[in-house]
Amino acid sequence: MKFCSECAHPVELMVPPGDNRPRYVCPQCATIHYQNPKMVLGTVPVWERDGEPQVLLCRRAIEPRYGYWTLPAGFMENSETTAAAAQRETEEEAGANIELGPLFALINVAHVHQVHMFYLATLRDLDFAPGEESLEVRMFTESEIPWDDLAFPTIHETLALFFADRARMRARGSDHGYGFHTQDITRPMRAAGEP
Amino acid sequence: MKFCSECAHPVELMVPPGDNRPRYVCPQCATIHYQNPKMVLGTVPVWERDGEPQVLLCRRAIEPRYGYWTLPAGFMENSETTAAAAQRETEEEAGANIELGPLFALINVAHVHQVHMFYLATLRDLDFAPGEESLEVRMFTESEIPWDDLAFPTIHETLALFFADRARMRARGSDHGYGFHTQDITRPMRAAGEP
């Protein structure tokens, strides 16, 4: 941020009176420009077949991570709820007809100022189709999940949590018992010399 | 938003190519200025006495809702997690020494572009003190909660959910069993003639 969005004067980075963090402040009109984390909302869209779950994934047609696989998800918009955002992204990216379930995972990605949340969802049918931001959409059983070609750590984490919950449910012969999970993703460690 | 924060040119409200919502776009440098919902993070700080919970509330020293009672909560900052934000706000507003528990409630307030989240927390001691944004901090048993003088609907909702969970736990003689709750607060209905 270089200029005040209210009066176009150059902003200054300073700690406002009574605050304890540097903010972009306009010395002309005194507006304080706060910057806050964003929410990314998505779903784990599930289709049950012979007692085994299949999960819908989309192959990204956009950067970052073009060509990698993701759960349908995207930035939450103003004036919508977390549930509405998750449903909208699933329709936009996968053309999927879902019944939204409960919130399943909330994952902090503090170093990029994001919180990712995923709702469980049940596919009503298999009439999905890639939206503008997807190259391809298909169903995956647990053994088919392309773990090495997932787009983001939060996708890996959410799928791992989902199949762990399923394993626990299977072990006690229950169809119910998904948990609600909170996790933090920290910046990956890099070897010396890596950027 | 009136001016581009990158180049100071006046922005225009338009639907960018490939998008389906109006955004503030800079016709000079082509920056799209997305606006997204913000997260408000807080806690339900609890002190158990003779098997009955007391909850810490703060009386607001700032607008909006100056003089009304609230759970400690505030806007999540960049580079922190939801849990860190909840802990920080509790320390800042109530000077409280807490052990953070699980996420308890996530409440959408879509008409003001906010998502409010509250963690359960256990007070380690009663050595709290009002911070700069609080007039007063004190403990309330359920029968003492000032329901008519709470600052925001999400505070009312979270406290109601907390005491409902406690009633269920009491009914089955358990110390465990808080749920995770998601809710939507919609704009209150107004009578004809009201603003």
Side-chain angles (χ1 to χ4, degrees):
Chain A
M1 156 159 262
K2 297 171 189 157
F3 300 96
C4 177
S5 54
E6 293 304 305
C7 78
H9 195 280
V11 291
E12 292 173 10
L13 195 60
M14 58 171 284
V15 179
D19 201 341
N20 52 23
R21 287 169 194 253
R23 315 280 182 185
Y24 289 106
V25 178
C26 178
Q28 178 164 276
C29 75
T31 299
I32 303 171
H33 298 279
Y34 295 97
Q35 296 182 315
N36 302 92
K38 294 184 196 299
M39 285 169 277
V40 170
L41 265 293
T43 61
V44 184
V46 179
W47 178 261
E48 300 282 341
R49 183 166 175 173
D50 303 330
E52 190 189 13
Q54 302 186 346
V55 174
L56 178 149
L57 297 178
C58 307
R59 201 153 71 86
R60 288 172 64 85
I62 52 173
E63 294 294 350
R65 303 292 280 163
Y66 181 100
Y68 287 81
W69 291 92
T70 184
L71 291 163
F75 287 108
M76 183 176 170
E77 299 278 3
N78 275 352
S79 302
E80 69 183 355
T81 62
T82 47
Q87 177 118 20
R88 175 181 54 72
E89 289 290 345
T90 307
E91 290 165 0
E92 284 179 4
E93 298 190 354
N97 184 15
I98 56 166
E99 181 176 336
L100 204 69
L103 188 57
F104 175 68
L106 181 150
I107 307 178
N108 283 280
V109 199
H111 62 281
V112 292
H113 318 317
Q114 293 178 3
V115 177
H116 292 207
M117 298 182 219
F118 293 90
Y119 282 79
L120 293 175
T122 305
L123 285 164
R124 293 182 198 275
D125 53 53
L126 294 177
D127 296 334
F128 48 76
E132 285 194 5
E133 300 186 356
S134 305
L135 295 169
E136 184 183 354
V137 179
R138 58 161 278 206
M139 305 302 301
F140 292 84
T141 62
E142 182 172 7
S143 63
E144 293 169 337
I145 297 282
W147 295 103
D148 293 335
D149 293 317
L150 297 177
F152 305 108
T154 55
I155 305 300
H156 191 287
E157 200 61 40
T158 301
L159 289 171
L161 289 166
F162 174 79
F163 288 112
D165 271 14
R166 289 293 299 211
R168 270 192 292 275
M169 289 156 67
R170 197 164 51 236
R172 55 167 200 268
S174 169
D175 279 347
H176 299 283
Y178 289 112
F180 166 67
H181 305 274
T182 55
Q183 299 261 341
D184 299 335
I185 301 264
T186 48
R187 192 190 295 272
M189 301 285 282
R190 294 182 194 284
E194 279 193 274
Chain B
M1 156 157 261
K2 297 171 191 157
F3 301 95
C4 177
S5 54
E6 293 304 306
C7 77
H9 195 279
V11 292
E12 292 174 10
L13 195 60
M14 58 170 284
V15 179
D19 202 341
N20 52 22
R21 288 169 193 252
R23 315 279 183 188
Y24 289 106
V25 177
C26 178
Q28 180 164 277
C29 74
T31 299
I32 303 172
H33 298 280
Y34 294 97
Q35 296 181 315
N36 301 91
K38 293 184 197 299
M39 284 169 277
V40 170
L41 264 294
T43 61
V44 184
V46 179
W47 178 262
E48 300 282 341
R49 182 166 174 173
D50 301 331
E52 189 188 14
Q54 302 186 346
V55 175
L56 178 150
L57 297 179
C58 307
R59 202 152 71 84
R60 287 171 65 83
I62 51 171
E63 295 292 352
R65 304 292 280 164
Y66 181 100
Y68 287 81
W69 291 92
T70 185
L71 292 163
F75 286 108
M76 183 175 168
E77 301 277 2
N78 275 353
S79 303
E80 69 184 355
T81 62
T82 48
Q87 177 117 20
R88 175 182 53 74
E89 290 289 345
T90 307
E91 288 165 1
E92 284 180 3
E93 298 189 353
N97 184 14
I98 56 166
E99 181 176 336
L100 204 69
L103 188 57
F104 175 68
L106 182 150
I107 307 179
N108 282 279
V109 199
H111 62 281
V112 293
H113 319 315
Q114 292 178 4
V115 176
H116 292 209
M117 298 182 219
F118 294 90
Y119 281 78
L120 293 175
T122 305
L123 286 163
R124 293 184 199 273
D125 53 53
L126 295 176
D127 297 333
F128 47 77
E132 286 193 4
E133 299 186 356
S134 305
L135 296 169
E136 184 183 353
V137 179
R138 56 162 280 205
M139 305 303 300
F140 292 84
T141 62
E142 181 171 7
S143 63
E144 292 169 337
I145 297 281
W147 295 102
D148 294 335
D149 293 317
L150 296 177
F152 305 107
T154 53
I155 304 301
H156 192 288
E157 201 61 40
T158 301
L159 289 170
L161 289 166
F162 174 79
F163 287 112
D165 271 15
R166 288 294 298 213
R168 270 192 293 274
M169 289 156 67
R170 200 164 50 236
R172 56 166 199 267
S174 170
D175 278 348
H176 298 282
Y178 290 110
F180 167 66
H181 306 273
T182 55
Q183 299 262 339
D184 299 336
I185 300 264
T186 48
R187 193 189 294 272
M189 300 284 283
R190 294 181 194 282
E194 279 193 274

